[in-house]
Amino acid sequence: MEKYEGVMRMLHGDLHDPSTSSESESIDPNQPDILMDQTSQDCFDKEVFRDQLLLHLTSPFCIPFLLAAGKSTLLANTSLWPWENLSDFTWSVVPAFWYVNLLLFVLYNQDFAEANIYGSEIVFLPLGAILVHRSMIALKYSGLSQVEYQRWRMAPPSLAHRWSKQIQLLSSWLPLPDNVLEMEVQKACRIQGANLLELRFQHDVRCVNSLRAWKVWQQMSECSTEQLHGELPCQHGAMEDQRVTQGVQELSATEVLLTLWRMAIDHVVRFNRVRLVGFWALLPSCVPMIWRAVASSAEDTSRPDLILQAAFGRSPPVIYAVVTSALICYMHVFLAGLFAVMGIVHYKRMMMVLQSICRLTRPLFCVFPNLPQAQLSGRVGVENMRAVLACFEVTLRLGGRYQNRVEAYIATLASAATLGMSFIVVGVVIGVHNQMNSFTVVILSLNLGVTAIMFQMIWYGSKANENFGLLANNICRARWRNSVQKEDEDCEQVMSLAMERLAILCETEPVNIAGTVPTCDLGYSLLSVAGTIVAFVIGKLYNWDIPA
């Protein structure tokens, strides 16, 4: 987690961390601890999106006008003014650098042309990066309900900053603090009509083996995800050191679900993709300069100064515009990439939790000796079956609004990449674009990166949906064993209803991505289409024999 915290302190676009002193200010006890406490799943306010997008695109020029209009609270809550730290200042004034570069490109167009530096590098790539990132910020606020947005907007800055951290992906949905996780569980329970607080996992302790299995239930929170699923040994201590009364023991279904989520959180936080995203963000910022430097070195390798001049230009306005444009591209593409990677994190985490719930009903305890096994027979089978199905249902709805925002972020990034690819493909088809250049390399690399992210999201989403069938299969096996052993009929009836419920859930509430059920075939189709388009462009530009 320290790696992510370091990134968030250095570059956190919509992460405006208040200073330590402001966080220690008194908080109104009448205000809720969690901002997003509404049950609404689909929230999108067009007016809020428009206002926030314009606000963040026109900063810092809009600040005096908003102050004159009496909207100082809005500026303070968005950390645009006053600036409490270097990060607030940086992200508030970044758009001004693009406007200055645009002005320089118009005034010194001849100098840019002599240096072979074009508008795609100075104007369009930075503009696209800013638009994508600032659209993501606007989507964050437009995803709040009207009650929540007004509550945030009118709150004092210290409280608004704390709430802002709760609704952000990198500072809240990635590490998932306990208060946010518990609130999301409560909302998912209300949506699904499942009261986990009243449900219990029960275990009938009758012999040494059942006692050993109960100890696994008691100490599951001490194990990591790798240990629970049998990848690492997990020591549960000596059984004789603890006296357990024979009979039915209980454990809250809420605590079990929270434990499974916390272990998945710890595992996914180590799923570090910051470095890869950082390298990917270097492409739009550095490829144009490297491209010109390589072209210059091919002509004359004896003059390093000429190579540097070819990369950055000769006149000070050109050098300034090239450097600042590269920084703008890197900062915004890097953060947009991190937000997109949160899609992978979300669906992988959901897949892991659903998989753990499914494995609670496995037929053999020894398959995963560190993971608890729910007894699905006898006097405790009915209660365990209800608890398992409730945990499964709640997980399907947990974090729905964060998921909607992740999908919106991916759609924003994919739309920008597709727009750039469309210009390239159209230019290649009509013959206007007939030579490989740095802009084409950047667009192709961005599209491949977005495609890779979307493929992993689809992959984990499809694996999450497989747990519907796996859980139904485990229940069916338990029913078969109970029928052979002539177990209680009530348990048999509940299992039958649970299988019917799973079949309905699989059709009506599967894990989906933007309303589409993810499948492996869909992921491979996406890869093949993206790969075909990239191969077509490269082949045409290098005069391969490919039909139009």
Side-chain angles (χ1 to χ4, degrees):
M1 187 57 204
E2 288 79 3
K3 298 180 180 178
Y4 284 100
E5 291 175 348
V7 172
M8 290 187 285
R9 285 194 298 268
M10 295 170 58
L11 295 169
H12 46 276
D14 66 337
L15 304 178
H16 302 290
D17 292 339
S19 61
T20 305
S21 60
S22 66
E23 286 197 2
S24 61
E25 296 177 3
S26 60
I27 302 299
D28 186 356
N30 296 324
Q31 296 287 5
D33 180 58
I34 303 296
L35 176 62
M36 290 201 307
D37 58 354
Q38 304 295 305
T39 310
S40 305
Q41 287 283 285
D42 298 322
C43 298
F44 179 74
D45 193 315
K46 296 180 181 178
E47 294 184 359
V48 173
F49 176 81
R50 179 199 62 200
D51 295 343
Q52 288 290 335
L53 181 59
L54 291 176
L55 175 64
H56 287 84
L57 286 178
T58 57
S59 175
F61 305 112
C62 65
I63 293 177
F65 300 99
L66 291 175
L67 289 175
K71 296 185 178 181
S72 58
T73 303
L74 176 62
L75 290 173
N77 290 354
T78 53
S79 295
L80 294 177
W81 180 268
W83 304 316
E84 297 184 355
N85 50 52
L86 180 60
S87 176
D88 291 348
F89 169 77
T90 301
W91 290 104
S92 178
V93 302
V94 158
F97 288 95
W98 181 83
Y99 290 109
V100 171
N101 288 346
L102 176 62
L103 181 61
L104 292 176
F105 186 77
V106 173
L107 296 178
Y108 297 92
N109 185 263
Q110 186 63 32
D111 293 344
F112 284 95
E114 291 176 357
N116 294 322
I117 299 174
Y118 304 104
S120 59
E121 176 183 351
I122 303 300
V123 178
F124 296 112
L125 281 178
L127 176 61
I130 292 175
L131 281 174
V132 168
H133 176 254
R134 302 301 162 121
S135 296
M136 291 179 174
I137 297 177
L139 285 168
K140 175 183 69 175
Y141 294 110
S142 63
L144 298 174
S145 67
Q146 293 183 357
V147 174
E148 294 165 349
Y149 182 74
Q150 292 301 323
R151 184 192 300 162
W152 168 85
R153 184 179 176 182
M154 303 307 295
S158 58
L159 179 58
H161 291 160
R162 185 164 65 90
W163 279 343
S164 293
K165 292 182 67 176
Q166 290 177 356
I167 64 176
Q168 290 164 175
L169 295 180
L170 296 182
S171 62
S172 180
W173 192 238
L174 175 62
L176 250 182
D178 287 344
N179 57 346
V180 176
L181 176 59
E182 291 168 5
M183 175 58 70
E184 290 299 321
V185 170
Q186 292 177 22
K187 292 193 296 184
C189 287
R190 291 198 296 265
I191 294 171
Q192 296 288 51
N195 191 349
L196 285 181
L197 295 176
E198 296 181 356
L199 295 176
R200 298 285 187 274
F201 280 96
Q202 296 183 347
H203 195 84
D204 192 2
V205 178
R206 290 172 291 183
C207 60
V208 175
N209 290 334
S210 59
L211 175 60
R212 183 182 295 111
W214 172 242
K215 285 183 62 62
V216 176
W217 278 103
Q218 289 180 307
Q219 302 185 14
M220 64 180 295
S221 60
E222 301 175 6
C223 298
S224 65
T225 299
E226 291 81 1
Q227 291 171 330
L228 277 184
H229 294 279
E231 299 176 22
L232 294 173
C234 182
Q235 301 296 330
H236 294 291
M239 287 187 301
E240 58 269 19
D241 295 339
Q242 297 183 9
R243 297 182 180 275
V244 179
T245 304
Q246 289 190 351
V248 177
Q249 308 295 325
E250 293 185 347
L251 193 63
S252 170
T254 303
E255 288 301 319
V256 172
L257 182 60
L258 290 175
T259 299
L260 294 177
W261 268 92
R262 290 184 182 116
M263 287 184 291
I265 293 164
D266 293 338
H267 176 84
V268 171
V269 165
R270 298 194 299 272
F271 179 69
N272 194 349
R273 291 295 181 269
V274 174
R275 186 174 301 174
L276 291 178
V277 175
F279 289 140
W280 181 60
L282 285 174
L283 294 173
S285 57
C286 296
V287 164
M289 293 180 289
I290 296 174
W291 192 274
R292 288 192 299 272
V294 171
S296 176
S297 63
E299 298 175 359
D300 186 1
T301 58
S302 61
R303 297 286 302 277
D305 58 324
L306 294 180
I307 296 177
L308 290 176
Q309 290 179 5
F312 295 96
R314 292 179 174 84
S315 64
V318 174
I319 297 174
Y320 170 84
V322 169
V323 173
T324 53
S325 295
L327 290 175
I328 291 173
C329 283
Y330 180 79
M331 294 166 61
H332 289 83
V333 173
F334 177 59
L335 279 170
L338 286 181
F339 296 152
V341 167
M342 279 302 302
I344 304 176
V345 170
H346 173 76
Y347 286 100
K348 181 178 183 180
R349 192 159 55 192
M350 180 175 289
M351 180 269 294
M352 294 177 65
V353 175
L354 291 176
Q355 187 180 69
S356 297
I357 296 173
C358 180
R359 288 176 176 175
L360 293 178
T361 63
R362 65 192 184 280
L364 295 176
F365 174 78
C366 61
V367 177
F368 303 104
N370 299 322
L371 182 68
Q373 182 191 34
Q375 294 177 339
L376 300 181
S377 61
R379 52 180 173 171
V380 300
V382 173
E383 190 70 16
N384 286 340
M385 195 66 259
R386 290 172 176 166
V388 167
L389 191 59
C391 290
F392 196 90
E393 288 184 279
V394 168
T395 299
L396 294 175
R397 288 288 190 172
L398 200 146
R401 288 166 67 182
Y402 287 99
Q403 176 178 318
N404 292 340
R405 184 136 50 90
V406 164
E407 294 170 353
Y409 287 179
I410 289 291
T412 302
L413 195 58
S415 298
T418 303
L419 180 62
M421 180 63 81
S422 300
F423 283 115
I424 298 298
V425 172
V426 171
V428 168
V429 170
I430 66 178
V432 176
H433 188 58
N434 53 19
Q435 188 177 4
M436 183 68 75
N437 55 35
S438 60
F439 180 74
T440 304
V441 173
V442 168
I443 295 301
L444 293 180
S445 63
L446 289 177
N447 274 272
L448 290 176
V450 174
T451 301
I453 293 173
M454 294 178 65
F455 173 77
Q456 291 189 64
M457 287 176 56
I458 293 172
W459 177 265
Y460 286 121
S462 66
K463 293 301 178 182
N465 280 326
E466 289 181 1
N467 289 289
F468 284 95
L470 294 176
L471 181 57
N473 183 52
N474 287 344
I475 296 174
C476 185
R477 288 181 176 181
R479 286 184 63 194
W480 177 257
R481 292 193 302 272
N482 293 347
S483 66
V484 172
Q485 299 172 6
K486 298 181 179 180
E487 294 285 354
D488 187 25
E489 293 183 359
D490 291 340
C491 186
E492 172 78 12
Q493 183 178 5
V494 170
M495 287 185 176
S496 178
L497 293 174
M499 294 179 64
E500 293 180 11
R501 177 61 177 158
L502 282 173
I504 296 174
L505 284 174
C506 187
E507 294 294 330
T508 58
E509 299 182 33
V511 176
N512 66 83
I513 301 176
T516 302
V517 178
T519 62
C520 292
D521 291 340
L522 179 62
Y524 292 130
S525 298
L526 176 66
L527 286 180
S528 63
V529 170
T532 300
I533 295 175
V534 171
F536 171 78
V537 171
I538 295 176
K540 279 294 185 179
L541 295 180
Y542 283 103
N543 297 319
W544 295 346
D545 188 13
I546 299 178

